[in-house]
């Protein structure tokens, strides 16, 4: 049905907003089905870059599943980096990095942290608070690789500071140990 509507749009004038809505719904459908290749082909078929940007951004704002969010954030960064405002660019890159970190977690646990996908530092803090030290190690390694040479409002120093803060709390004993006397 989407393809038929797309052909119809080539034959008859369709209002821009309706065209954006059609392509957005088609893109979200393809992403929900896990067909990233067809989703990419759909985006490449759209001739007007403004329409393509609007479709991609609106689709991302619909908060699709993890794989779809990761795909859209990557696509927007790769193709529309210069067209985005600095705040929006940082938001999309944070979502990309957060989704990449989420993909390092065990699949059954991802749903518990999905709501933090656009806030990777907060996700890391949540993992620390939940005592998921092994997961934190993998997440930190992934973050260090992704942050190399990028400016998204998160730095390696922020990560190190967070880790130091929680390491200090782990060693803080709220009571004094008494000596046992025999």
């Amino acid at each position: 049905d989407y393809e038929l509507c797309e052909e119809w749009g080539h034959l008859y004038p369709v209002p821009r907003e309706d065209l954006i809505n059609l392509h957005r719904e088609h893109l979200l459908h393809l992403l929900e089905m896990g067909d990233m290749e067809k989703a990419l082909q759909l985006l490449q078929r759209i001739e007007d870059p403004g329409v393509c940007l609007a479709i991609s951004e609106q689709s991302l704002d619909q908060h699709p599943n993890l794989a779809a969010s990761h795909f859209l954030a990557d696509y927007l960064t790769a193709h529309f980096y210069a067209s985005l405002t600095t705040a929006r660019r940082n938001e999309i890159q944070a979502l990309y990095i957060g989704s990449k970190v989420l993909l390092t977690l065990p699949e059954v646990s991802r749903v518990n942290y999905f709501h933090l996908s656009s806030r990777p530092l907060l996700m890391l803090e949540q993992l620390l608070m939940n005592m998921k030290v092994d997961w934190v190690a993998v997440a930190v390694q992934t973050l260090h690789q992704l942050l190399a040479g990028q400016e998204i409002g998160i730095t390696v120093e922020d990560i190190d500071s967070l880790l130091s803060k929680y390491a200090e709390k782990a060693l803080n004993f709220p009571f004094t140990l008494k000596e046992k006397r025999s």
Side-chain angles (χ1 to χ4, degrees):
D1 290 345
Y2 290 118
E3 290 169 5
L4 178 62
C5 289
E6 189 177 335
E7 287 178 32
W8 186 268
H10 289 298
L11 298 174
Y12 298 98
V14 176
R16 185 175 192 268
E17 283 305 311
D18 292 340
L19 196 60
I20 290 172
N21 290 337
L22 165 71
H23 287 307
R24 183 190 68 236
E25 292 303 318
H26 188 190
L27 180 63
L28 287 171
H29 171 74
L30 291 171
L31 292 172
E32 286 296 321
M33 301 303 289
D35 198 342
M36 305 304 175
E37 187 62 36
K38 281 191 178 179
L40 184 58
Q41 290 170 1
L42 169 67
L43 290 169
Q44 290 171 341
R45 279 196 311 266
I46 299 168
E47 295 170 3
D48 183 352
V51 170
C52 191
L53 174 61
I55 292 164
S56 302
E57 279 196 289
Q58 287 179 18
S59 297
L60 186 62
D61 292 340
Q62 295 278 326
H63 304 290
N65 64 36
L66 176 60
S69 294
H70 187 71
F71 171 85
L72 289 165
D74 185 36
Y75 184 82
L76 282 164
T77 303
H79 293 88
F80 297 105
Y81 189 82
S83 303
L84 300 168
T85 64
T86 304
R88 183 67 170 161
R89 192 180 310 144
N90 289 347
E91 178 186 323
I92 290 170
Q93 285 183 317
L95 179 63
Y96 174 78
I97 288 172
S99 62
K100 193 79 164 175
V101 170
L102 265 176
L103 289 169
T104 67
L105 301 180
E107 195 168 337
V108 294
S109 301
R110 292 176 188 163
V111 69
N112 298 331
Y113 300 96
F114 181 73
H115 66 286
L116 299 173
S117 60
S118 62
R119 304 190 57 202
L121 265 182
L122 195 56
M123 184 188 318
L124 188 61
E125 187 168 7
Q126 188 70 49
L127 289 169
L128 285 166
M129 289 178 6
N130 290 341
M131 307 286 278
K132 305 295 185 185
V133 180
D134 295 339
W135 298 357
V136 169
V138 175
V140 167
Q141 184 179 10
T142 302
L143 283 169
H144 278 278
Q145 290 170 355
L146 292 172
L147 291 177
Q150 291 200 24
E151 285 188 32
I152 61 162
I154 300 171
T155 63
V156 173
E157 289 78 23
D158 294 334
I159 296 167
D160 292 344
S161 172
L162 182 68
L163 292 174
S164 296
K165 175 180 151 186
Y166 278 88
E168 183 181 313
K169 286 183 181 206
L171 296 174
N172 187 11
F173 296 104
F175 56 90
T176 58
L177 297 173
K178 295 182 181 178
E179 282 186 37
K180 288 187 177 181
R181 297 182 189 243
S182 57

